Amino acid sequence: MKKLVEILPDKQALIERSLTLVLEKMQSAIQERGQCTLALSGGSTPKPLYEALAEQPLPWEKIQVFWGDERYVPSDHPESNQRMARQAWLDRVSIPAANIHPMPTSAGDPARDAQNYETELQQWFKLHSGEVPVFDIVLLGIGDDGHTASLFPRTEALKVSDRLVTVGNKDGQPRLTFTARLINQARCVIFLVAGESKRPALKQIFAPSGDEMTYPARLVQPKGELWWLLDKAAGAELNSTTSDQRAIGDQSLKANN
């Protein structure tokens, strides 16, 4: 795994850096494989990134958009990750409808919809039984509790190792989520993290040893590149908690593992 950590001066710099990085990875994927497969995250942090992507002159027919997790609500619900991404980005560009692959939430049964999305992934990636899709880019964030996607602390979803998509649980509310197994096959995983409230969780996630059941983001160890893009408010304490990094400039840390 190649691990890189960058601490940016503020959230605006974080979004600008993430845009540059995502565009670079998109271009590489299209050049190498003819298309780019991208899994989106929800939450407030990536929304400005999606808005910035909507302004780019990209070859939309070569970009395939999926979601790494979704609240189990209708697609037009204010809390829907799909709705946010469509409003901020996808409805504003000429991407073919067939290139957008939202998580289904209409069966009335989260487990069945998780299976339906897993089947869609297997069919779209043309996989045989037991094979795992390899996404070009997976975007993630973390919560103050150290969760990522809808992999929440001390929940059953963290133990799922034989599925691609499973049901997450937040305070009794079901969500659909990629499993750690699927996330970790990606060529590039990019965490976007902003805000001082994330510091305690980051300290535990970056600690040399720790409990993945308590801080699920520790489970993310992809076979490809792992990028942590943090604003200064979130990453200010990492200098004292990460021994495998070397400072570059005033605000940036990078490391290769």
Side-chain angles (χ1 to χ4, degrees):
M1 180 184 71
K2 182 179 181 182
K3 179 180 178 182
L4 303 104
V5 181
E6 295 186 11
I7 301 177
L8 290 309
D10 52 34
K11 187 174 180 181
Q12 180 60 37
L14 168 65
I15 296 304
E16 291 173 359
R17 178 67 181 110
S18 65
L19 176 63
T20 299
L21 180 60
V22 169
L23 291 175
E24 173 189 318
K25 297 303 177 184
M26 281 183 170
Q27 182 180 32
S28 295
I30 291 169
Q31 287 178 343
E32 294 172 16
R33 290 174 291 280
Q35 64 183 357
C36 175
T37 53
L38 169 67
L40 304 185
S41 63
S44 60
T45 302
K47 184 178 179 181
L49 169 62
Y50 300 159
E51 292 170 338
L53 284 166
E55 304 298 327
Q56 304 301 310
L58 294 172
W60 299 112
E61 73 282 358
K62 297 180 181 179
I63 297 171
Q64 301 284 338
V65 177
F66 300 79
W67 274 260
D69 76 312
E70 181 60 274
R71 296 174 174 88
Y72 202 69
V73 297
S75 60
D76 59 354
H77 192 281
E79 294 185 357
S80 166
N81 290 342
Q82 177 191 171
R83 179 177 184 266
M84 184 272 280
R86 285 187 180 275
Q87 290 184 340
W89 173 17
L90 301 173
D91 287 349
R92 298 169 55 192
V93 299
S94 58
I95 186 170
N99 290 24
I100 302 174
H101 309 270
M103 286 183 157
T105 57
S106 60
D109 180 347
R112 186 166 65 172
D113 273 325
Q115 180 59 62
N116 289 340
Y117 202 58
E118 178 164 324
T119 299
E120 179 178 353
L121 293 178
Q122 290 170 326
Q123 292 175 345
W124 193 89
F125 281 90
K126 297 181 174 60
L127 302 179
H128 298 294
S129 178
E131 293 182 333
V132 181
V134 178
F135 280 88
D136 292 308
I137 305 168
V138 174
L139 297 177
L140 294 174
I142 65 166
D144 294 352
D145 61 357
H147 85 268
T148 191
S150 283
L151 300 170
F152 289 92
R154 296 173 294 280
T155 58
E156 290 301 311
L158 305 184
K159 304 175 185 178
V160 177
S161 60
D162 59 346
R163 297 287 307 279
L164 306 179
V165 183
T166 191
V167 180
N169 186 301
K170 177 175 172 56
D171 301 327
Q173 299 298 316
R175 303 186 179 198
L176 305 187
T177 184
F178 280 10
T179 59
R181 177 192 184 203
L182 174 53
I183 293 169
N184 285 337
Q185 289 295 317
R187 294 184 176 92
C188 179
V189 174
I190 304 172
F191 278 94
L192 305 182
V193 185
E196 184 177 353
S197 66
K198 305 296 174 61
R199 289 185 190 178
L202 283 169
K203 185 175 182 179
Q204 297 298 324
I205 293 164
F206 277 78
S209 62
D211 181 9
E212 289 83 1
M213 289 295 290
T214 304
Y215 295 95
R218 292 181 61 92
L219 290 167
V220 179
Q221 302 287 334
K223 292 186 176 181
E225 295 180 357
L226 174 59
W227 288 80
W228 285 87
L229 301 184
L230 318 171
D231 71 356
K232 185 178 180 180
E237 297 180 12
L238 289 188
N239 282 316
S240 61
T241 62
T242 53
S243 60
D244 61 342
Q245 298 164 347
R246 56 189 176 89
I248 298 180
D250 293 329
Q251 306 295 347
S252 180
L253 299 169
K254 291 188 178 181
N256 293 333
N257 286 352

